[in-house]
């Protein structure tokens, strides 16, 4: 589709164009907000920082951490969604719909409620533990009675997400202090995050992204179906377990950094497939770039729509993602995948 037609750009060229678009969106993320910043000031804050300049200080202390964390969270969610959709052969698969985000959120809220934790650095390990626990629970329920089919995985994910969501709400209602600590984080936000959050998360984020990118060929085989993959010599159970481990790393990292942000992991793989086809060797790197571009774009939109205040990025992705999900569910060809 891409490289075979002289009228279309090749996939490598399209990937470079997407990387350029991501740089532009990142620059807009540094510029746009309640305080106007010029491109020159935004670039100077990165290359020749003047602490006496108010606008450069705004960029350096507020918008740069927000942008960098948005890049990581967007990439993690998009790549996790692509890997999950390939491994489960479920077009609705993404961390928030299969309970992974709900598990990480519940674990963090429980830690704040029981351990009186107040700093996001303390949340990280609980995010990974919650994501892993929810994944195991969803897969265990879906596997009962003869294997985890795509429909059973989706149903189990919805059930576990609803259950963990209700438990999370109960804890928040029981303790107002817990609600005050986590209410902005639970909305899914890039605002107010510190770059100090990154060092402990980056190794897990990098391992998850690198591992997923290296599995493109295997995900192609796995997406053919259980019987076809086995006939080609793949041990499907081990491969799905490996993918699940990578998704836990990616989703846990994203939730620890920004809270639960939905629909990015769902929408990006579908958009990318429409561009580059069904080859996961290309879907994954395209998702790696489109995810952060989409998330930062939503964050910028949230700053513009509610000036002088702003909407949390999780609210914006939900507002945009809900119509997308309804549209996708109504498309017969997607439902029949």
């Amino acid at each position: 589709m891409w490289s075979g037609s002289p009228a279309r750009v090749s996939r490598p060229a399209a990937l470079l164009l997407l990387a350029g678009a991501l740089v532009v969106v990142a620059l807009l993320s540094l510029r746009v907000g309640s305080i106007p910043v010029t491109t020159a000031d935004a670039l100077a804050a990165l290359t020749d920082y003047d602490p006496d300049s108010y606008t450069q200080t705004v960029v350096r202390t507020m918008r740069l951490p927000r942008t960098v964390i948005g890049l990581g969270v967007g990439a993690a969610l998009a790549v996790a969604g692509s890997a999950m959709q390939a491994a489960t052969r479920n077009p609705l698969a993404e961390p928030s719909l299969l309970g992974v985000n709900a598990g990480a959120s519940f674990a963090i809220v429980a830690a704040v409620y029981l351990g009186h934790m107040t700093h996001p650095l303390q949340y990280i390990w609980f995010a990974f533990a919650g994501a892993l626990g929810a994944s195991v629970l969803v897969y265990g329920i879906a596997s009962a009675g003869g294997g985890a089919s795509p429909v059973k995985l989706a149903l189990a994910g919805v059930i576990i997400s609803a259950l963990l969501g209700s438990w999370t709400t109960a804890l928040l209602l029981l303790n107002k202090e817990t609600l005050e600590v986590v209410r902005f984080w639970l909305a899914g936000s890039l605002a107010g995050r510190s770059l100090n959050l990154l060092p402990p998360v980056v190794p897990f984020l990098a391992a998850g992204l690198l591992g997923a990118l290296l599995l493109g060929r295997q995900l192609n085989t796995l997406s053919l179906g259980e019987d076809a993959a086995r006939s080609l010599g793949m041990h499907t159970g081990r491969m799905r377990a490996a993918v699940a481990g990578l998704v836990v790393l990616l989703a846990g990292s994203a939730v620890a950094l920004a809270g639960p942000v939905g629909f990015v992991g769902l929408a990006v793989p579908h958009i990318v497939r429409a561009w580059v086809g069904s080859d996961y060797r290309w879907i994954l790197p395209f998702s790696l770039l489109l995810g952060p571009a989409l998330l930062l774009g939503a964050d910028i939109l949230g700053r513009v729509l509610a000036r002088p205040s702003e909407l949390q990025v999780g609210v914006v992705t939900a507002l945009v993602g809900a119509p997308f999900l309804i549209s996708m569910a109504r498309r017969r060809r997607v439902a029949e995948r």
Side-chain angles (χ1 to χ4, degrees), residues 299-312:
D299 189 43
I300 295 169
L301 191 62
R303 300 180 214 173
V304 173
L305 290 178
R307 278 180 173 175
S309 184
E310 61 181 56
L311 294 174
Q312 308 299 317

Side-chain angles (χ1 to χ4, degrees), residues 209 225 232:
L209 292 174
L232 292 172

Side-chain angles (χ1 to χ4, degrees), residues 262-263 313-323:
F263 293 105
V313 68
V315 176
V316 178
T317 58
L319 289 173
V320 176

Side-chain angles (χ1 to χ4, degrees), residues 53 111 210 216 238 298:
S53 168
L210 181 61
R238 291 177 186 172

Side-chain angles (χ1 to χ4, degrees), residues 1-11 13-14 17 275:
M1 173 182 175
W2 285 69
S3 58
S5 170
R8 307 267 184 110
V9 295
S10 65
R11 284 166 171 162
L17 289 174
W275 288 353

Side-chain angles (χ1 to χ4, degrees), residues 228-247:
R230 284 182 177 174
S231 69
L232 292 172
M234 175 177 282
H235 194 299
T236 56
R238 291 177 186 172
M239 182 53 60
R240 285 201 172 93
V243 173
L246 294 174
V247 168

